[in-house]
Amino acid sequence: GWQVPMKNGSLSYILPCNRLPVQLMSQVRVYTSNGQKKDLGSEDTNGSARGETLHKVETGRQDTANAGQKQSSPKQPIQVKVKAVLKKREYGPKYTQNNFITGVRAINEFCLKSSDLDQLRKIKRRSPHDDTETFTVYLRSDVEAKSLEVWGSPEALARERKRRKEAEIKYRENLFRNQRLLWEYKEFFGNTKPRSSTAAMFFKGPGKVVMVAICINGLNFFFKLLAWVYTGSASMFSEAIHSLADTCNQALLALGISQSARTPDPSHPYGFTNMRYIASLISGVGIFMMGAGLSWYHGIMGLLHPHPVESLLWAYCILAGSLVSEGATLLVAINEIRRSARAKGLSFYQYVVQSRDPSTNVVLLEDAAAVLSVAVAATCMGLTSLTGNPYYDSVGSLGVGTLLGTVSAFLIYTNTEALLGRSIEPEQLQRLTELLESDPVVRAIHDVKATDMGMSKVRFKAEVDFDGRVVTRSYLEKQDIEQLLQEIQQVKTLEELEAFMLKHGENIIDMLGAEVDRLEKDLKQRNPDVRHVDLEIL
């Protein structure tokens, strides 16, 4: 009920009208919702108010000490304030027909062709994409009407949707059948950057490092295998297995690099960048199982069943050549990491530990382990030649296996951390936060999260408390104030006020969306690592 302030002496009460019986006042002014007022007399008992209900207010006090007699307090004027409000509108399902829908959704969901959309009303709206300012949308009611015109009935449209759903399942099973469909949708997806050639990726950067490592380690494996067959040395066998494991793992890295360059699709909207980390993780597991496991096994068997070692002259020559080739590959990896770390403003150690480039890190660690393992194998083989004791050679095999196990454990740890989605550095997060808070349109930001998605790609998310006054002032600065003032002066009724507020309210919401887009664009421009920004309005 209405909340009615009633003054009695110096006390003021707030009482619900519909529960208080009161006496009739001498005069009451009733304000209607259209701003008119009516004076109602106290002696009109024939209902001359034409539908207006007068609440009768009666106040009294019962004196329990005077045998139940009732005494009425003196009549006091009661102030009744009626608040004019709009009637709450119920938004039914038909209201959603005024929603906008893109051309791609109209084709997919309502089984239309691009030529069917040419006849519909086109509306330019602010684009959510960075590469375009505006894009074309359609009214949902127009699209629904056009689909019924094309298919005849909702049942026919449902059957067509079911048929296309089955065709989509077949498409996923056989991608070649959907090339024609993708060609038809090309104009709606817009122009995209051409995909770089896969072959060109292996002539620069991490791809070049991996290809050099594959060639050198493949040759090392071949010559080390010949040396082991000739000498029967356990350390030489471990070296051959080590080179084979490196070759296989680096081939896996090359596959990961090529897969990471694939363009995003609806099933993977953020792309395939993490394929490099997945390939590096599998590479680390492969080094542990294939390299370290076989080296340990061969070393233990050499200790349990020692046998004399043949002449090691050829083994020394091959180890020397392997040391030179592995060292050359190591220098290539070091130079690439130094260049990338300098570009990111990081030290060499930080770049490696944070696994910024997993492919180059794997090559670096594998070649470093290869150089050390060559030194360990040569030392143990030299001790075997001097003493004639084959146990030193077996110990060398165990040492190489331990070294490989350490490298694989480090690779597994760093790549697992990267795949889990770790946070960026606190200094970088602080810079992003200060950039947002320094903008006049932002009052405060909350629940800030910045995740490294891999390969220096950052996803930033925050809840932003916007200053509505600044947003409104920005909107007013783009308006004709004289014309706006005239519109305000012409408002006389609630209907005109509602129309005025709905018009400018929608425009202010669009202005708020434009401010969100501007902030996201500024974050990406000033921080190239930030690829995805999600700002939620608080």
Side-chain angles (χ1 to χ4, degrees), residues 93-153:
K94 292 184 178 180
Y95 188 79
T96 59
Q97 294 180 354
N98 295 324
N99 292 353
F100 298 137
I101 186 172
T102 61
V104 175
R105 287 190 58 192
I107 290 178
N108 290 335
E109 298 180 11
F110 293 93
C111 306
L112 297 176
K113 298 180 181 179
S114 58
S115 58
D116 297 330
L117 302 180
D118 295 339
Q119 306 171 7
L120 303 182
R121 289 178 290 178
K122 299 178 178 61
I123 302 172
K124 295 291 185 180
R125 298 291 294 177
R126 180 174 50 85
S127 174
H129 307 292
D130 297 334
D131 54 350
T132 55
E133 295 183 358
T134 60
F135 74 128
T136 303
V137 295
Y138 305 88
L139 284 176
R140 188 181 185 90
S141 57
D142 293 348
V143 174
E144 291 178 351
K146 187 63 178 179
S147 65
L148 292 178
E149 177 185 345
V150 172
W151 297 105
S153 64

Short mmCIF file of all heavy atoms in Angstrom, two decimals, residues 93-153:
data_model
loop_
_atom_site.label_atom_id
_atom_site.label_comp_id
_atom_site.label_asym_id
_atom_site.label_seq_id
_atom_site.Cartn_x
_atom_site.Cartn_y
_atom_site.Cartn_z
N PRO A 93 7.80 -13.06 -25.29
CA PRO A 93 8.70 -13.61 -26.32
C PRO A 93 8.72 -12.78 -27.60
O PRO A 93 9.72 -12.79 -28.32
CB PRO A 93 8.11 -15.01 -26.58
CG PRO A 93 7.31 -15.32 -25.35
CD PRO A 93 6.78 -14.02 -24.87
N LYS A 94 7.63 -12.04 -27.89
CA LYS A 94 7.61 -11.27 -29.13
C LYS A 94 8.61 -10.12 -29.12
O LYS A 94 9.04 -9.67 -30.17
CB LYS A 94 6.19 -10.72 -29.37
CG LYS A 94 5.16 -11.80 -29.68
CD LYS A 94 3.81 -11.17 -30.01
CE LYS A 94 2.79 -12.24 -30.39
NZ LYS A 94 1.47 -11.65 -30.71
N TYR A 95 8.95 -9.65 -27.91
CA TYR A 95 9.88 -8.53 -27.85
C TYR A 95 11.27 -8.91 -28.36
O TYR A 95 11.99 -8.08 -28.90
CB TYR A 95 9.98 -8.02 -26.41
CG TYR A 95 10.76 -6.74 -26.29
CD1 TYR A 95 10.18 -5.52 -26.60
CD2 TYR A 95 12.08 -6.76 -25.87
CE1 TYR A 95 10.89 -4.33 -26.51
CE2 TYR A 95 12.81 -5.57 -25.78
CZ TYR A 95 12.21 -4.37 -26.09
OH TYR A 95 12.93 -3.20 -26.00
N THR A 96 11.65 -10.18 -28.21
CA THR A 96 12.98 -10.61 -28.68
C THR A 96 13.07 -10.64 -30.19
O THR A 96 14.16 -10.79 -30.73
CB THR A 96 13.29 -12.01 -28.12
OG1 THR A 96 12.27 -12.94 -28.56
CG2 THR A 96 13.33 -12.00 -26.61
N GLN A 97 11.94 -10.49 -30.87
CA GLN A 97 12.00 -10.43 -32.33
C GLN A 97 12.67 -9.16 -32.83
O GLN A 97 13.08 -9.07 -33.98
CB GLN A 97 10.58 -10.54 -32.91
CG GLN A 97 9.92 -11.89 -32.66
CD GLN A 97 8.51 -11.95 -33.24
OE1 GLN A 97 8.00 -10.95 -33.73
NE2 GLN A 97 7.90 -13.13 -33.19
N ASN A 98 12.78 -8.16 -31.94
CA ASN A 98 13.48 -6.93 -32.31
C ASN A 98 14.99 -7.06 -32.14
O ASN A 98 15.73 -6.10 -32.38
CB ASN A 98 12.97 -5.76 -31.47
CG ASN A 98 11.51 -5.44 -31.76
OD1 ASN A 98 11.07 -5.56 -32.89
ND2 ASN A 98 10.77 -5.06 -30.73
N ASN A 99 15.46 -8.21 -31.68
CA ASN A 99 16.90 -8.41 -31.53
C ASN A 99 17.57 -8.47 -32.89
O ASN A 99 16.96 -8.80 -33.91
CB ASN A 99 17.18 -9.71 -30.76
CG ASN A 99 16.74 -9.60 -29.31
OD1 ASN A 99 16.35 -8.53 -28.87
ND2 ASN A 99 16.83 -10.69 -28.58
N PHE A 100 18.86 -8.19 -32.88
CA PHE A 100 19.64 -8.22 -34.10
C PHE A 100 20.29 -9.59 -34.26
O PHE A 100 20.58 -10.28 -33.28
CB PHE A 100 20.72 -7.14 -34.09
CG PHE A 100 20.17 -5.75 -34.02
CD1 PHE A 100 20.73 -4.79 -33.18
CD2 PHE A 100 19.07 -5.39 -34.80
CE1 PHE A 100 20.21 -3.51 -33.12
CE2 PHE A 100 18.56 -4.11 -34.74
CZ PHE A 100 19.12 -3.18 -33.90
N ILE A 101 20.55 -9.97 -35.50
CA ILE A 101 21.18 -11.26 -35.80
C ILE A 101 22.11 -11.04 -36.98
O ILE A 101 21.81 -10.28 -37.92
CB ILE A 101 20.12 -12.34 -36.11
CG1 ILE A 101 20.78 -13.71 -36.28
CG2 ILE A 101 19.29 -11.98 -37.32
CD1 ILE A 101 19.77 -14.85 -36.41
N THR A 102 23.27 -11.67 -36.94
CA THR A 102 24.25 -11.50 -38.01
C THR A 102 23.90 -12.37 -39.21
O THR A 102 23.06 -13.29 -39.11
CB THR A 102 25.65 -11.88 -37.51
OG1 THR A 102 25.65 -13.26 -37.11
CG2 THR A 102 26.05 -11.01 -36.32
N GLY A 103 24.55 -12.08 -40.32
CA GLY A 103 24.28 -12.85 -41.53
C GLY A 103 24.67 -14.30 -41.42
O GLY A 103 23.97 -15.19 -41.93
N VAL A 104 25.79 -14.57 -40.76
CA VAL A 104 26.24 -15.96 -40.61
C VAL A 104 25.24 -16.77 -39.79
O VAL A 104 24.88 -17.90 -40.14
CB VAL A 104 27.63 -15.99 -39.95
CG1 VAL A 104 28.06 -17.42 -39.67
CG2 VAL A 104 28.64 -15.31 -40.86
N ARG A 105 24.75 -16.19 -38.69
CA ARG A 105 23.75 -16.89 -37.87
C ARG A 105 22.45 -17.08 -38.63
O ARG A 105 21.77 -18.11 -38.49
CB ARG A 105 23.50 -16.13 -36.58
CG ARG A 105 24.62 -16.21 -35.56
CD ARG A 105 24.19 -15.63 -34.24
NE ARG A 105 23.02 -16.32 -33.72
CZ ARG A 105 22.28 -15.90 -32.70
NH1 ARG A 105 22.59 -14.75 -32.11
NH2 ARG A 105 21.24 -16.57 -32.27
N ALA A 106 22.06 -16.07 -39.42
CA ALA A 106 20.82 -16.20 -40.20
C ALA A 106 20.92 -17.35 -41.19
O ALA A 106 19.95 -18.10 -41.38
CB ALA A 106 20.54 -14.89 -40.94
N ILE A 107 22.07 -17.52 -41.79
CA ILE A 107 22.25 -18.62 -42.75
C ILE A 107 22.29 -19.96 -42.03
O ILE A 107 21.66 -20.94 -42.46
CB ILE A 107 23.53 -18.39 -43.57
CG1 ILE A 107 23.33 -17.20 -44.51
CG2 ILE A 107 23.90 -19.62 -44.37
CD1 ILE A 107 24.55 -16.85 -45.32
N ASN A 108 23.01 -20.03 -40.92
CA ASN A 108 23.17 -21.30 -40.22
C ASN A 108 21.90 -21.73 -39.49
O ASN A 108 21.49 -22.90 -39.57
CB ASN A 108 24.32 -21.21 -39.22
CG ASN A 108 25.67 -21.11 -39.90
OD1 ASN A 108 25.83 -21.55 -41.04
ND2 ASN A 108 26.64 -20.53 -39.23
N GLU A 109 21.26 -20.81 -38.77
CA GLU A 109 20.15 -21.19 -37.91
C GLU A 109 18.80 -21.22 -38.63
O GLU A 109 17.90 -21.95 -38.21
CB GLU A 109 20.06 -20.22 -36.73
CG GLU A 109 21.29 -20.25 -35.84
CD GLU A 109 21.17 -19.28 -34.68
OE1 GLU A 109 20.05 -18.75 -34.47
OE2 GLU A 109 22.18 -19.05 -33.99
N PHE A 110 18.65 -20.45 -39.70
CA PHE A 110 17.37 -20.39 -40.39
C PHE A 110 17.45 -20.93 -41.81
O PHE A 110 16.52 -20.77 -42.59
CB PHE A 110 16.86 -18.94 -40.42
CG PHE A 110 16.50 -18.42 -39.05
CD1 PHE A 110 17.44 -17.73 -38.30
CD2 PHE A 110 15.25 -18.65 -38.51
CE1 PHE A 110 17.13 -17.25 -37.05
CE2 PHE A 110 14.93 -18.16 -37.25
CZ PHE A 110 15.87 -17.47 -36.52
N CYS A 111 18.58 -21.57 -42.14
CA CYS A 111 18.72 -22.31 -43.40
C CYS A 111 18.44 -21.42 -44.62
O CYS A 111 17.66 -21.77 -45.51
CB CYS A 111 17.80 -23.52 -43.41
SG CYS A 111 18.02 -24.62 -42.00
N LEU A 112 19.02 -20.24 -44.61
CA LEU A 112 18.84 -19.31 -45.71
C LEU A 112 20.10 -19.23 -46.56
O LEU A 112 21.16 -19.72 -46.17
CB LEU A 112 18.48 -17.91 -45.18
CG LEU A 112 17.17 -17.80 -44.40
CD1 LEU A 112 17.01 -16.39 -43.85
CD2 LEU A 112 15.98 -18.18 -45.26
N LYS A 113 19.98 -18.57 -47.69
CA LYS A 113 21.13 -18.31 -48.56
C LYS A 113 21.48 -16.83 -48.47
O LYS A 113 20.69 -16.00 -48.00
CB LYS A 113 20.80 -18.68 -50.00
CG LYS A 113 20.47 -20.15 -50.21
CD LYS A 113 20.15 -20.43 -51.67
CE LYS A 113 19.81 -21.90 -51.88
NZ LYS A 113 19.46 -22.18 -53.30
N SER A 114 22.66 -16.52 -48.94
CA SER A 114 23.08 -15.11 -48.91
C SER A 114 22.19 -14.24 -49.78
O SER A 114 21.95 -13.07 -49.47
CB SER A 114 24.53 -15.00 -49.37
OG SER A 114 24.67 -15.52 -50.68
N SER A 115 21.67 -14.80 -50.86
CA SER A 115 20.78 -14.02 -51.72
C SER A 115 19.45 -13.72 -51.03
O SER A 115 18.81 -12.70 -51.33
CB SER A 115 20.52 -14.78 -53.03
OG SER A 115 19.94 -16.06 -52.76
N ASP A 116 19.01 -14.57 -50.09
CA ASP A 116 17.77 -14.29 -49.35
C ASP A 116 17.92 -13.08 -48.45
O ASP A 116 16.93 -12.37 -48.20
CB ASP A 116 17.37 -15.51 -48.52
CG ASP A 116 17.07 -16.73 -49.39
OD1 ASP A 116 16.63 -16.52 -50.53
OD2 ASP A 116 17.28 -17.86 -48.92
N LEU A 117 19.11 -12.83 -47.95
CA LEU A 117 19.32 -11.71 -47.04
C LEU A 117 19.39 -10.37 -47.75
O LEU A 117 19.25 -9.32 -47.11
CB LEU A 117 20.60 -11.92 -46.23
CG LEU A 117 20.66 -13.21 -45.40
CD1 LEU A 117 21.99 -13.29 -44.67
CD2 LEU A 117 19.51 -13.28 -44.41
N ASP A 118 19.61 -10.38 -49.05
CA ASP A 118 19.71 -9.12 -49.79
C ASP A 118 18.40 -8.34 -49.77
O ASP A 118 18.40 -7.11 -49.91
CB ASP A 118 20.13 -9.39 -51.23
CG ASP A 118 21.53 -9.97 -51.32
OD1 ASP A 118 22.30 -9.78 -50.34
OD2 ASP A 118 21.85 -10.62 -52.32
N GLN A 119 17.28 -9.05 -49.60
CA GLN A 119 15.98 -8.40 -49.64
C GLN A 119 15.54 -7.87 -48.27
O GLN A 119 14.50 -7.23 -48.17
CB GLN A 119 14.93 -9.38 -50.16
CG GLN A 119 15.29 -10.01 -51.51
CD GLN A 119 14.33 -11.13 -51.89
OE1 GLN A 119 13.34 -11.34 -51.22
NE2 GLN A 119 14.65 -11.83 -52.96
N LEU A 120 16.29 -8.15 -47.23
CA LEU A 120 15.91 -7.74 -45.88
C LEU A 120 16.50 -6.39 -45.53
O LEU A 120 17.45 -5.92 -46.15
CB LEU A 120 16.37 -8.80 -44.87
CG LEU A 120 15.88 -10.22 -45.11
CD1 LEU A 120 16.38 -11.15 -44.01
CD2 LEU A 120 14.36 -10.27 -45.17
N ARG A 121 15.92 -5.77 -44.48
CA ARG A 121 16.44 -4.50 -44.00
C ARG A 121 17.82 -4.71 -43.36
O ARG A 121 18.00 -5.62 -42.55
CB ARG A 121 15.48 -3.90 -42.98
CG ARG A 121 14.18 -3.39 -43.57
CD ARG A 121 13.27 -2.86 -42.47
NE ARG A 121 12.76 -3.95 -41.64
CZ ARG A 121 11.95 -3.78 -40.59
NH1 ARG A 121 11.59 -2.54 -40.24
NH2 ARG A 121 11.52 -4.80 -39.90
N LYS A 122 18.74 -3.86 -43.72
CA LYS A 122 20.10 -3.94 -43.21
C LYS A 122 20.34 -2.80 -42.22
O LYS A 122 19.97 -1.65 -42.47
CB LYS A 122 21.12 -3.87 -44.34
CG LYS A 122 20.99 -5.00 -45.35
CD LYS A 122 22.00 -4.85 -46.46
CE LYS A 122 21.92 -6.01 -47.45
NZ LYS A 122 20.60 -6.09 -48.10
N ILE A 123 20.94 -3.14 -41.10
CA ILE A 123 21.19 -2.17 -40.04
C ILE A 123 22.67 -2.18 -39.72
O ILE A 123 23.27 -3.24 -39.51
CB ILE A 123 20.37 -2.50 -38.77
CG1 ILE A 123 18.87 -2.55 -39.10
CG2 ILE A 123 20.65 -1.49 -37.67
CD1 ILE A 123 18.02 -3.04 -37.97
N LYS A 124 23.28 -1.00 -39.71
CA LYS A 124 24.70 -0.86 -39.36
C LYS A 124 24.84 -0.70 -37.86
O LYS A 124 24.21 0.16 -37.25
CB LYS A 124 25.30 0.35 -40.07
CG LYS A 124 25.34 0.24 -41.59
CD LYS A 124 26.35 -0.83 -42.03
CE LYS A 124 26.47 -0.87 -43.54
NZ LYS A 124 27.44 -1.89 -43.99
N ARG A 125 25.67 -1.56 -37.27
CA ARG A 125 25.91 -1.50 -35.83
C ARG A 125 27.41 -1.46 -35.55
O ARG A 125 28.22 -1.78 -36.41
CB ARG A 125 25.30 -2.72 -35.13
CG ARG A 125 23.79 -2.81 -35.27
CD ARG A 125 23.10 -1.72 -34.50
NE ARG A 125 23.29 -1.87 -33.07
CZ ARG A 125 22.85 -1.00 -32.15
NH1 ARG A 125 22.22 0.08 -32.55
NH2 ARG A 125 23.06 -1.21 -30.88
N ARG A 126 27.74 -1.08 -34.34
CA ARG A 126 29.14 -1.04 -33.94
C ARG A 126 29.71 -2.46 -33.91
O ARG A 126 29.14 -3.36 -33.31
CB ARG A 126 29.25 -0.41 -32.55
CG ARG A 126 30.67 -0.31 -32.00
CD ARG A 126 30.64 0.46 -30.68
NE ARG A 126 29.62 -0.07 -29.78
CZ ARG A 126 29.83 -1.10 -28.98
NH1 ARG A 126 30.98 -1.71 -28.97
NH2 ARG A 126 28.87 -1.52 -28.19
N SER A 127 30.86 -2.66 -34.56
CA SER A 127 31.42 -3.99 -34.71
C SER A 127 32.18 -4.40 -33.44
O SER A 127 32.89 -3.59 -32.84
CB SER A 127 32.37 -4.02 -35.91
OG SER A 127 33.02 -5.27 -35.98
N PRO A 128 32.05 -5.66 -33.03
CA PRO A 128 32.85 -6.15 -31.89
C PRO A 128 34.26 -6.53 -32.27
O PRO A 128 35.05 -6.89 -31.40
CB PRO A 128 32.05 -7.38 -31.44
CG PRO A 128 31.41 -7.89 -32.68
CD PRO A 128 31.10 -6.68 -33.51
N HIS A 129 34.60 -6.46 -33.54
CA HIS A 129 35.92 -6.88 -34.01
C HIS A 129 36.82 -5.66 -34.17
O HIS A 129 36.37 -4.54 -34.43
CB HIS A 129 35.80 -7.62 -35.34
CG HIS A 129 34.82 -8.76 -35.30
ND1 HIS A 129 35.04 -9.91 -34.57
CD2 HIS A 129 33.61 -8.91 -35.88
CE1 HIS A 129 34.02 -10.73 -34.71
NE2 HIS A 129 33.13 -10.13 -35.50
N ASP A 130 38.12 -5.90 -34.01
CA ASP A 130 39.08 -4.81 -34.06
C ASP A 130 39.34 -4.31 -35.48
O ASP A 130 39.70 -3.15 -35.67
CB ASP A 130 40.42 -5.25 -33.44
CG ASP A 130 40.26 -5.59 -31.97
OD1 ASP A 130 39.33 -5.04 -31.35
OD2 ASP A 130 41.06 -6.39 -31.44
N ASP A 131 39.18 -5.17 -36.47
CA ASP A 131 39.56 -4.80 -37.83
C ASP A 131 38.48 -4.03 -38.57
O ASP A 131 38.71 -3.49 -39.64
CB ASP A 131 39.93 -6.05 -38.64
CG ASP A 131 38.83 -7.10 -38.61
OD1 ASP A 131 37.88 -6.93 -37.81
OD2 ASP A 131 38.91 -8.08 -39.37
N THR A 132 37.27 -3.95 -38.04
CA THR A 132 36.17 -3.22 -38.69
C THR A 132 35.46 -2.35 -37.67
O THR A 132 35.32 -2.72 -36.51
CB THR A 132 35.15 -4.19 -39.32
OG1 THR A 132 34.68 -5.10 -38.31
CG2 THR A 132 35.78 -4.97 -40.47
N GLU A 133 35.00 -1.18 -38.11
CA GLU A 133 34.29 -0.27 -37.22
C GLU A 133 32.81 -0.60 -37.11
O GLU A 133 32.22 -0.52 -36.05
CB GLU A 133 34.47 1.17 -37.70
CG GLU A 133 35.91 1.68 -37.63
CD GLU A 133 36.02 3.12 -38.04
OE1 GLU A 133 34.98 3.70 -38.42
OE2 GLU A 133 37.13 3.66 -37.99
N THR A 134 32.18 -0.93 -38.25
CA THR A 134 30.76 -1.28 -38.26
C THR A 134 30.56 -2.57 -39.04
O THR A 134 31.39 -2.94 -39.88
CB THR A 134 29.91 -0.17 -38.89
OG1 THR A 134 30.34 0.04 -40.24
CG2 THR A 134 30.04 1.12 -38.10
N PHE A 135 29.46 -3.23 -38.78
CA PHE A 135 29.09 -4.40 -39.57
C PHE A 135 27.57 -4.46 -39.68
O PHE A 135 26.85 -3.77 -38.96
CB PHE A 135 29.69 -5.67 -38.98
CG PHE A 135 29.00 -6.15 -37.72
CD1 PHE A 135 28.57 -7.45 -37.61
CD2 PHE A 135 28.79 -5.30 -36.64
CE1 PHE A 135 27.95 -7.90 -36.47
CE2 PHE A 135 28.19 -5.74 -35.49
CZ PHE A 135 27.77 -7.04 -35.42
N THR A 136 27.11 -5.29 -40.60
CA THR A 136 25.69 -5.32 -40.94
C THR A 136 24.99 -6.41 -40.15
O THR A 136 25.48 -7.54 -40.05
CB THR A 136 25.51 -5.59 -42.44
OG1 THR A 136 26.21 -4.58 -43.17
CG2 THR A 136 24.05 -5.56 -42.82
N VAL A 137 23.83 -6.06 -39.58
CA VAL A 137 22.98 -7.02 -38.88
C VAL A 137 21.56 -6.91 -39.44
O VAL A 137 21.23 -5.98 -40.18
CB VAL A 137 22.98 -6.79 -37.36
CG1 VAL A 137 24.36 -7.05 -36.77
CG2 VAL A 137 22.53 -5.37 -37.03
N TYR A 138 20.72 -7.87 -39.05
CA TYR A 138 19.34 -7.94 -39.53
C TYR A 138 18.41 -8.11 -38.33
O TYR A 138 18.80 -8.64 -37.28
CB TYR A 138 19.15 -9.11 -40.50
CG TYR A 138 20.10 -9.09 -41.67
CD1 TYR A 138 21.36 -9.69 -41.58
CD2 TYR A 138 19.76 -8.48 -42.86
CE1 TYR A 138 22.24 -9.68 -42.65
CE2 TYR A 138 20.63 -8.46 -43.94
CZ TYR A 138 21.87 -9.07 -43.82
OH TYR A 138 22.74 -9.04 -44.88
N LEU A 139 17.17 -7.66 -38.49
CA LEU A 139 16.17 -7.89 -37.45
C LEU A 139 15.78 -9.36 -37.42
O LEU A 139 15.56 -9.98 -38.46
CB LEU A 139 14.93 -7.04 -37.70
CG LEU A 139 15.04 -5.55 -37.35
CD1 LEU A 139 13.77 -4.83 -37.75
CD2 LEU A 139 15.33 -5.36 -35.87
N ARG A 140 15.70 -9.91 -36.23
CA ARG A 140 15.37 -11.32 -36.10
C ARG A 140 13.98 -11.62 -36.64
O ARG A 140 13.75 -12.68 -37.24
CB ARG A 140 15.47 -11.75 -34.63
CG ARG A 140 15.33 -13.25 -34.41
CD ARG A 140 15.40 -13.61 -32.95
NE ARG A 140 15.39 -15.05 -32.78
CZ ARG A 140 16.46 -15.81 -32.74
NH1 ARG A 140 17.65 -15.26 -32.87
NH2 ARG A 140 16.38 -17.11 -32.58
N SER A 141 13.04 -10.68 -36.45
CA SER A 141 11.69 -10.90 -36.96
C SER A 141 11.69 -10.99 -38.49
O SER A 141 10.96 -11.80 -39.07
CB SER A 141 10.77 -9.77 -36.50
OG SER A 141 11.28 -8.51 -36.92
N ASP A 142 12.52 -10.16 -39.15
CA ASP A 142 12.60 -10.22 -40.61
C ASP A 142 13.19 -11.54 -41.07
O ASP A 142 12.73 -12.14 -42.06
CB ASP A 142 13.45 -9.06 -41.13
CG ASP A 142 12.79 -7.72 -40.91
OD1 ASP A 142 11.58 -7.71 -40.56
OD2 ASP A 142 13.47 -6.69 -41.08
N VAL A 143 14.21 -12.01 -40.36
CA VAL A 143 14.85 -13.28 -40.74
C VAL A 143 13.89 -14.44 -40.55
O VAL A 143 13.80 -15.35 -41.39
CB VAL A 143 16.14 -13.47 -39.93
CG1 VAL A 143 16.74 -14.85 -40.20
CG2 VAL A 143 17.15 -12.38 -40.26
N GLU A 144 13.15 -14.43 -39.44
CA GLU A 144 12.18 -15.51 -39.19
C GLU A 144 11.09 -15.50 -40.26
O GLU A 144 10.68 -16.56 -40.74
CB GLU A 144 11.59 -15.36 -37.80
CG GLU A 144 12.57 -15.63 -36.68
CD GLU A 144 11.94 -15.43 -35.32
OE1 GLU A 144 10.79 -14.90 -35.27
OE2 GLU A 144 12.58 -15.79 -34.32
N ALA A 145 10.60 -14.33 -40.60
CA ALA A 145 9.56 -14.25 -41.64
C ALA A 145 10.10 -14.73 -42.99
O ALA A 145 9.40 -15.42 -43.74
CB ALA A 145 9.04 -12.82 -41.75
N LYS A 146 11.34 -14.38 -43.29
CA LYS A 146 11.93 -14.82 -44.56
C LYS A 146 12.13 -16.33 -44.59
O LYS A 146 11.92 -16.99 -45.62
CB LYS A 146 13.27 -14.11 -44.76
CG LYS A 146 13.89 -14.37 -46.13
CD LYS A 146 13.02 -13.83 -47.25
CE LYS A 146 13.64 -14.04 -48.61
NZ LYS A 146 12.78 -13.54 -49.70
N SER A 147 12.52 -16.91 -43.45
CA SER A 147 12.70 -18.36 -43.42
C SER A 147 11.37 -19.09 -43.62
O SER A 147 11.31 -20.13 -44.31
CB SER A 147 13.33 -18.77 -42.08
OG SER A 147 12.45 -18.49 -41.01
N LEU A 148 10.29 -18.55 -43.03
CA LEU A 148 8.98 -19.17 -43.24
C LEU A 148 8.53 -19.00 -44.70
O LEU A 148 7.87 -19.87 -45.26
CB LEU A 148 7.95 -18.55 -42.30
CG LEU A 148 8.14 -18.86 -40.81
CD1 LEU A 148 7.07 -18.15 -39.98
CD2 LEU A 148 8.09 -20.36 -40.56
N GLU A 149 8.90 -17.88 -45.29
CA GLU A 149 8.56 -17.68 -46.70
C GLU A 149 9.31 -18.67 -47.60
O GLU A 149 8.75 -19.19 -48.57
CB GLU A 149 8.89 -16.24 -47.10
CG GLU A 149 8.64 -15.94 -48.57
CD GLU A 149 9.09 -14.54 -48.96
OE1 GLU A 149 9.32 -13.73 -48.04
OE2 GLU A 149 9.22 -14.28 -50.17
N VAL A 150 10.55 -18.94 -47.26
CA VAL A 150 11.36 -19.85 -48.08
C VAL A 150 10.94 -21.29 -47.89
O VAL A 150 10.78 -22.05 -48.85
CB VAL A 150 12.85 -19.65 -47.75
CG1 VAL A 150 13.70 -20.73 -48.44
CG2 VAL A 150 13.31 -18.26 -48.18
N TRP A 151 10.71 -21.69 -46.61
CA TRP A 151 10.44 -23.10 -46.32
C TRP A 151 8.96 -23.43 -46.18
O TRP A 151 8.62 -24.61 -46.12
CB TRP A 151 11.18 -23.52 -45.05
CG TRP A 151 12.67 -23.40 -45.22
CD1 TRP A 151 13.49 -22.46 -44.72
CD2 TRP A 151 13.49 -24.26 -46.00
NE1 TRP A 151 14.77 -22.66 -45.11
CE2 TRP A 151 14.82 -23.78 -45.91
CE3 TRP A 151 13.26 -25.41 -46.77
CZ2 TRP A 151 15.88 -24.40 -46.55
CZ3 TRP A 151 14.32 -26.02 -47.41
CH2 TRP A 151 15.61 -25.52 -47.29
N GLY A 152 8.11 -22.45 -46.06
CA GLY A 152 6.68 -22.70 -46.08
C GLY A 152 6.05 -22.90 -44.73
O GLY A 152 4.93 -22.44 -44.49
N SER A 153 6.72 -23.58 -43.79
CA SER A 153 6.14 -23.86 -42.49
C SER A 153 7.27 -24.13 -41.49
O SER A 153 8.39 -24.49 -41.89
CB SER A 153 5.20 -25.07 -42.56
OG SER A 153 5.92 -26.24 -42.90
#
